[in-house]
Structure formats: structure tokens, C-alpha cells
Amino acid sequence: MERLVIEGGRSLRGEVLISGAKNAALPILCASLLTAERLRLSNVPHLRDVTTTLQLLARMGTQVVVEEGECVSLRAAEIAEPAAPYDLVKTMRASILVLGPLLARFGRARVSLPGGCAIGLRPVDQHIKGLEAMGATIRIDNGDLVAEVPRLRGARVVMDMVTVTGTENLLMAATLADGTTVLENAAREPEVVDLANCLIAMGAHIRGAGTDTITVDGVDRLHGGEHRIMADRIESGTYLAAVAATGGEVTLRKTCPDSLDAVIDKLREAGAHVSVDGDSVHLTMDRRPSAVSARTLPHPAFPTDMQAQLMALDCIADGTATITETIFENRFMHVQELRRLGADIEVRGNTAIVRGVARLNGANVMATDLRASASLVIAGLCAQGETRIDRIYHLDRGYERIEEKLSRLGARISRTRSPT
Ligand code: EPU
């Protein structure tokens, strides 16, 4: 297994080129199942979750061509079996995103039920409820969700909570349904908008993406098309938080500043100077950060995917911050690892009280999920001495070449094999 070794305590300075968004790429890759024609995607990040999705699509019969320059062409002309097997679904919950497209185009789908995962229970009841409202029959057989319908029909679906992949699954399903679907309490995340834009490029009729009511007039078929995946706002926020924590200066290139408002506000509150110029964001930090409190909520509020990274900054901030996680019930696994570096954090229910300390000290820590890993990297960059982070395969699910990008900013970070 691989580990990251960080020699911390240095400020960071330089530029980072932001990759395509994982959480936009995954649903958009699955959208290729909605048409027999070729979908050509650019700015597709090299990430483990993307590779898993490509494997899943290829296993079903999709022709996948990975081209130079982060482009992928997909052609799902002949799908042998509209099914997502357990061995792939178990490694990536987002595999559930094939359910809507398969059912809409083929009238049947078998998708292994995604289990609980490290950050919470994460059920898929809202995906099921929406598809049932659109006429599907869904049963569980041998741990698989088995869905059938002659043709989905438009329906009004009011989701019980804001769910990102739930909204995406229903949005994709509705594009080929008979009649109009209205999704109420829809997720407003920018990745939903990016998916909608791709579907529109494929001939879908969608209004309201980016608001909490999305209306879709179903069409008989979608055609191929081209789409560029949006920049990754969480990768962007992670580098901004890292430099706000270590001090220094960074310019993010090819990012999506509009989707970063809540994160930029928090970093300004911490004392960073942030300016936006087109698709670039510049941040300078010339002092110890001030503690900033946050509460995670659906977009456009502060994202749960940035909670752990902000907590890492608060660990070395001046003052006490409270961080409340309202989206997932078990997303504080980084706390015990941050404590190993000397952080002073107390957890009360879904709130962490972080009392900033003057310095963290390097230690051996273990990555537990994707964003928890990112917070350990940030803390390691701030800590005096050497931090070794094990189980970094979590990081490779969502951060493209993180050690390379951080090295360019002057970080001392390397990837080595950990002794077994
Ligand atoms: N929920 C239900 N029932 C459902 C669906 C969701 O109870 O049918 C609950 C979940 O258990 C959770 C809440 O609703 O408590 C929100 O979950 P959501 O469905 O929005 O999460 P998701 O779609 O599974 C996506 C991202 C996550 C991100 C969340 C929240 C992708 C592939 N994943 O997950 O990204 O944290 O939205 O913004 O888009 C990450 O990138 O590290 C990551 C975990």
C-alpha cells in the first residue's frame, strides 16, 4: 500500500491547475447510457472513481475510448446486460447513477444495492421513490435492486431531502420518460447543472437546473454530443484551504469561482485575501488564520465535502470554532487522526468544537475517506516535522496528482510504499 510523507511547516506559493470535477464526471459518464450515439467528454479527471465508472460502463458493453488530453468517448450502442454488479458497486456508491439511465432506455435494470459507507448510512430510498412515481416496479432480489417498466412516464416528485445523486438519477431518467416530470426539492449543486447542460447538448428538454424545481419534458430519444466537464470546486476549495492554513499565496487556474462563494467567504473570515479574475482565483494569507465556524448544508451553503479541510485549518487557527455537520451522520472520522497531530477537538453529537493550537506536530495517521484524507494532508502541511499518511487510495478517488500539485507549490511531499 502507498503512503504520503509530508515534511510540514512550510508556506506554499505558486499556481495550481484545477482538474475536472469528479462529482460532475461520474453522472455525466453514466448519461452516455441514454443514447446509442457517441458522447465525447473533455476535462475528464484521471481518478480512481472515474476508472471504476468506465469499467462499469465497458462491462455492460459501452465502447470506451480514452483519448489524449483528458478526453473520453463513449458509445453505448449495444448494451449486453443493463446491470451493475456487486464487485464494482461495492467500491463506489456512485454506481447507483446507472439505474436511472438504464431503466429509461432499456425498461429494465439490475443494480447491486450500495451498502452503507464510511461516512454514513446513505440510503437510496429517494431514488427508488422517484422512479416508482414514474411507473417503475422495483424489488430487491439477492442484494440487487431490480427495476422494470415498459416506459417511464412523467411525474411530479417531491424529494424528502436534498439528494445530489438522487436528483441526478431522476433527472436522467426523466429525459426519456413519456411526458413531463417535475422534480421538487431538487439539489441545486453545480454538478447537477453541469449534468443538465450535458443532457441538453444531447437533446433533452430541461428547465430550472440550479433551482430547487427542475422540469423535464421527456423526448423519444437522445443523440450523441460533446461536453466539457466543469472544474472541480472541492479540489479548488481544498487547495485554497491548504494555503490559507500554511500561509503563502496561490493562484488556481481553470477553476469555477461562481461555485466557490461559501468557501471563499469562510477563508476571508479566516483572514485570507481572495480575488477572482475570470476562471482564476488568487488567495494570499500572511498571518495565522482566525478560527471560523461553519455548518454544512446543501448548495449554495457551505459544502459537506469541505468540512474536514476547514476543520484542519481551524486546528491551527487563533480561537475556537464550531463545525456542525448536517448532511452525513458519521463524517468526523478525521477528528481522531487530527488529534494524533496535536489538534484539540471535542465532538458533541454532530458538532465539533475545535480549539486552535499554536502548532501541530507530525505523526503517523490513517486516511479514512476521501475528504478526511484531504484534511490530513492540510494538517500535515502545517505540522512541524514528518507526517506519514497511510491508506491514501482514498485520496486517489478524488484528487488528481495531489502530491505533484502540492510539490509545485513548494510542499515537501512524496509518495512511498508503506511497509506492510
Ligand atoms: N439520503 C437519503 N436517501 C436517499 C438519498 C440520500 O436518506 O435516497 C441522505 C443521505 O444519507 C445523506 C443526505 O441524504 O444524509 C445527502 O446525500 P446525497 O444523496 O446528497 O449524497 P450523494 O448524492 O450520495 C453526493 C456526492 C458526495 C457529497 C454529497 C453531498 C457524488 C458522486 N457524491 O453524494 O460526494 O458529499 O453529494 O453533497 O456526487 C465526495 O466527493 O467526497 C462525496 C462524498
Side-chain angles (χ1 to χ4, degrees), residues 144-384:
D144 294 342
L145 281 172
V146 180
E148 282 166 336
V149 68
R151 183 178 178 191
L152 289 170
R153 54 170 194 270
R156 181 165 175 269
V157 181
V158 184
M159 281 170 273
D160 297 353
M161 81 275 299
V162 177
T163 154
V164 177
T165 49
T167 301
E168 292 165 345
N169 234 339
L170 299 181
L171 175 60
M172 289 190 276
T175 59
L176 292 180
D178 184 15
T180 298
T181 299
V182 181
L183 302 176
E184 303 273 14
N185 198 23
R188 292 181 284 169
E189 268 62 8
E191 293 77 12
V192 174
V193 178
D194 205 35
L195 169 64
N197 288 339
C198 176
L199 294 169
I200 290 167
M202 295 165 71
H205 294 174
I206 300 169
R207 299 185 298 284
T211 75
D212 58 8
T213 303
I214 304 180
T215 306
V216 186
D217 295 321
V219 294
D220 287 337
R221 60 181 53 82
L222 294 181
H223 51 72
E226 297 205 1
H227 181 76
R228 182 180 167 82
I229 307 285
M230 68 175 285
D232 197 314
R233 65 192 169 101
I234 306 300
E235 186 196 26
S236 304
T238 301
Y239 286 106
L240 293 177
V243 178
T246 61
E249 190 174 339
V250 69
T251 304
L252 306 184
R253 300 281 182 213
K254 296 202 172 171
T255 181
C256 43
D258 292 352
S259 65
L260 283 165
D261 289 343
V263 171
I264 290 175
D265 282 355
K266 288 293 165 195
L267 297 178
R268 282 186 176 137
E269 212 180 309
H273 301 281
V274 186
S275 58
V276 171
D277 181 13
D279 64 2
S280 297
V281 175
H282 183 76
L283 176 144
T284 52
M285 186 64 155
D286 48 20
R287 64 174 176 84
R288 181 180 178 195
S290 307
V292 268
S293 297
R295 188 182 175 80
T296 64
L297 284 168
H299 192 77
F302 190 80
T304 174
D305 289 345
M306 279 299 299
Q307 177 256 108
Q309 300 91 313
L310 186 71
M311 192 184 294
L313 174 142
D314 277 329
C315 288
I316 47 94
D318 185 12
T320 298
T322 54
I323 295 195
T324 303
E325 171 59 54
T326 76
I327 308 290
F328 293 112
E329 68 273 23
N330 188 25
R331 212 175 193 183
F332 278 151
M333 281 168 308
H334 38 286
V335 168
Q336 65 184 41
E337 300 303 305
L338 290 169
R339 282 188 189 135
R340 298 167 71 84
L341 297 166
D344 179 355
I345 309 170
E346 183 189 340
V347 174
R348 287 192 207 149
N350 67 344
T351 297
I353 298 144
V354 190
R355 296 179 194 91
V357 294
R359 81 178 241 179
L360 296 174
N361 293 305
N364 289 348
V365 291
M366 200 158 70
T368 49
D369 73 58
L370 171 57
R371 308 305 171 187
S373 320
S375 79
L376 296 178
V377 171
I378 295 175
L381 290 167
C382 295
Q384 297 299 321

